[in-house]
Amino acid sequence: MAATATIVGINHDFRTKKSHVLLVWDDEADKRLSLPVPFGCSFEDLPAETDKAVRALSAETAALVIKPTE
């Protein structure tokens, strides 16, 4: 079964003109993720924008190179 997460918050920082959505995994409440979404994102657009942000993060982390501490 696929993991599911719920949008539990959105923060609009008017000073920096940035918005972030907060997700919490439904089966692991201690697993959280905050991602940038378009500034001022409406509640109606939030699910689609969150999906885009998660897919972009997934693509980025799939190619991520992990370096040891120097």
Side-chain angles (χ1 to χ4, degrees), residues 1-7 23-29 31-33 51 54-55:
M1 177 163 70
T4 59
T6 300
I7 297 170
L23 298 171
V24 175
W25 269 241
D26 293 333
D27 60 349
E28 295 181 63
K31 191 184 273 188
R32 296 169 176 268
L33 180 62
D51 187 66
V54 168
R55 305 289 167 226

Side-chain angles (χ1 to χ4, degrees), residues 4 7 9-12 15 17 24 28 30-31 33 35-39 43 47 51-52 54-55 57-59 62:
T4 59
I7 297 170
I10 185 165
N11 179 42
H12 301 294
R15 186 174 43 93
K17 295 193 181 336
V24 175
E28 295 181 63
D30 59 332
K31 191 184 273 188
L33 180 62
L35 293 169
V37 290
F39 178 67
F43 287 119
D51 187 66
K52 286 182 201 175
V54 168
R55 305 289 167 226
L57 177 64
S58 179

